[in-house]
Amino acid sequence: MTSDETRGDDPGMREIELLREEAEAALAGAGSSADLEEARVNLLGRKGRLTALLQGIKDLPPDKKRMVGMQANLLKDWLEKALEERGEELRRRELDAELRAEKVDVTLPGRHLPFGTRHLVSAIIEEIEDIFIGMGYRVAEGPEVELDYYNFEALNTPHWHPSKSLQDTFYVDASASGREDVLLRTHTSPVQIRVMEATTPPLYVIAPGKAYRHDVPDATHSPMFHQVEGLAVDEGITLGDLKGTLEHFARRMFGEDRAVRFRPHFFPFTEPSAEVDVSCVICGGEGCRVCKGTGWLEILGAGMVDPNVFGYVGYDTEKFSGFAFGMGVERIAMLKYGIPDIRYLFDNDLRFLAQF
Ligand code: DAH
């Protein structure tokens, strides 16, 4: 054997030994699957060093081919197995670390998510909706920023009517758009007109929402408040239908033994019109502080739709008749629960709101 045939001196064999040492170090030093993959590519990838060595074997002199080829292939087999084993180990370790990081202590007490309750005003609106939906009504909505036409004119309200005055109505400065007839609606009645413009009778609709008036807040006034409007238009609707409907509503809302009375009144958009009272929820009609000794509480305004209003929306007044009503939601809440001041409803004091 010549000296360059001994393992250590043979350049091919030395390279194999070097690669093996390097591979062992790379395997031991790989801290992650990604490191290990990098080592694999360096050695066994398409341009890897061991790959290159294996490809070079065919060019070796025949006497070297066998030995170097055998050793190189042994190294390859060993490396593949070692990569797999080390890979397995690293993956297991990584999974362990992942699981530890994501560990959930199921014995910890749950985190308390405080959840709110509906605001009393919303609850009352939903209660009113439920009662009327039960009678076949649907719920409609209209804009809070409204045109004079819908809020007043088409509701048969003349231009000189006091409710149109600057002291009573919030007008919106829309002068830039050339309009001077934009306002915050003073009631939900304009939704009547909008619904009728869009619908042919028969129709049975309620429209809950906010209304605004230029009022100084006190125990019974708030510049923003809520109303629910009602409108029924059909063939042969009479005042009797209105009375029966509102009586049913009052009893569902305030209790089965409530009496209802109609007092003649005036509204521009209904004829005849009435204010409607229920027997006092506190004293039952005897007379007390809440009903100011009268035994009655006013809950809403109502009447038969004025034919002039039908004229604005092009309804045939020979064929159709209807009734309308409007109620204040805060007022109903206050009567139902004996709340002495409307401002409690808007102060957002949870000690108050959480009671309902
Ligand atoms: N819109 C009236 C108000 O705000 C309430 C009202 C009265 C509505 C009579 C009606 C009605 O629909 O028929 O004071």
Side-chain angles (χ1 to χ4, degrees):
M1 214 186 254
T2 60
S3 65
D4 70 325
E5 269 178 324
T6 60
R7 261 178 170 226
D9 292 339
D10 187 304
M13 296 304 276
R14 229 180 295 127
E15 165 112 44
I16 287 172
E17 218 159 296
L18 216 66
L19 273 180
R20 185 184 179 98
E21 274 161 28
E22 241 174 69
E24 268 167 3
L27 282 170
S32 68
S33 304
D35 290 351
L36 193 68
E37 174 62 10
E38 197 180 314
R40 189 193 66 79
V41 170
N42 280 339
L43 292 161
L44 278 177
R46 223 161 19 91
K47 293 181 183 155
R49 310 236 319 269
L50 182 54
T51 309
L53 184 90
L54 285 160
Q55 280 164 355
I57 289 169
K58 63 179 187 316
D59 304 324
L60 291 176
D63 59 324
K64 302 267 165 68
K65 242 188 219 168
R66 214 179 75 86
M67 194 58 174
V68 175
M70 198 173 79
Q71 290 301 325
N73 276 304
L74 281 175
L75 176 60
K76 184 173 178 241
D77 291 347
W78 169 83
L79 185 57
E80 279 172 345
K81 202 155 157 256
L83 278 167
E84 200 174 306
E85 277 165 15
R86 180 75 177 133
E88 188 99 350
E89 194 184 319
L90 286 170
R91 270 194 300 280
R92 204 170 25 233
R93 231 200 279 162
E94 281 160 3
L95 183 65
D96 275 353
E98 218 171 291
L99 289 175
R100 230 172 301 122
E102 290 175 4
K103 190 168 77 172
V104 176
D105 182 351
V106 294
T107 66
L108 278 177
R111 232 167 279 161
H112 179 65
L113 284 183
F115 50 85
T117 54
R118 272 175 316 178
H119 192 280
L120 179 56
V121 168
S122 306
I124 295 280
I125 288 175
E126 278 177 35
E127 205 174 329
I128 297 168
E129 285 175 357
D130 281 349
I131 295 170
F132 281 98
I133 287 169
M135 288 189 275
Y137 284 65
R138 69 178 173 87
V139 179
E141 276 184 25
E144 290 170 26
V145 182
E146 189 50 286
L147 294 174
D148 178 284
Y149 176 79
Y150 291 103
N151 196 80
F152 293 122
E153 192 180 337
L155 287 164
N156 202 35
T157 305
H159 67 273
W160 46 260
H161 197 279
S163 67
K164 289 190 70 168
S165 93
L166 291 172
Q167 273 72 46
D168 290 316
T169 297
F170 290 112
Y171 287 89
V172 174
D173 182 8
S175 48
S177 66
R179 299 205 80 122
E180 282 159 16
D181 56 350
V182 182
L183 45 83
L184 299 184
R185 67 182 179 192
T186 60
H187 49 179
T188 45
S189 303
V191 186
Q192 287 187 35
I193 306 298
R194 290 183 174 275
V195 167
M196 286 192 281
E197 280 184 348
T199 323
T200 49
L203 61 89
Y204 294 82
V205 179
I206 56 165
K210 289 184 169 69
Y212 302 84
R213 284 183 202 171
H214 207 304
D215 280 330
V216 176
D218 64 20
T220 53
H221 293 84
S222 164
M224 185 282 299
F225 59 101
H226 297 77
Q227 291 188 326
V228 176
E229 193 75 16
L231 174 68
V233 182
D234 206 335
E235 289 179 47
I237 294 261
T238 69
L239 190 65
D241 297 314
L242 173 60
K243 287 189 83 171
T245 302
L246 292 180
E247 210 164 83
H248 174 74
F249 164 73
R251 293 194 170 140
R252 286 285 309 278
M253 182 55 90
F254 294 106
E256 283 307 318
D257 47 1
R258 293 274 79 74
V260 173
R261 88 175 172 182
F262 281 54
R263 268 181 299 108
H265 197 76
F266 173 79
F267 294 106
F269 35 92
T270 42
E271 181 60 33
S273 305
E275 279 189 333
V276 179
D277 303 337
V278 286
S279 52
C280 180
V281 292
I282 304 297
C283 65
E286 299 284 298
C288 67
R289 209 168 46 84
V290 172
C291 59
K292 299 194 182 84
T294 65
W296 296 94
L297 299 166
E298 182 204 323
I299 55 163
L300 53 82
M304 302 304 289
V305 179
D306 193 305
N308 285 346
V309 173
F310 282 157
Y312 278 97
V313 296
Y315 278 11
D316 180 351
T317 53
E318 293 299 310
K319 192 168 172 204
F320 295 109
S321 58
F323 62 71
F325 55 87
M327 62 186 92
V329 177
E330 287 81 0
R331 182 166 171 78
I332 289 186
M334 290 166 76
L335 294 175
K336 187 164 173 156
Y337 293 104
I339 298 163
D341 194 314
I342 192 173
R343 289 168 292 193
Y344 284 131
L345 291 165
F346 303 119
D347 283 347
N348 291 335
D349 185 335
L350 286 178
R351 289 172 304 177
F352 170 78
L353 293 175
Q355 295 176 56
F356 305 101

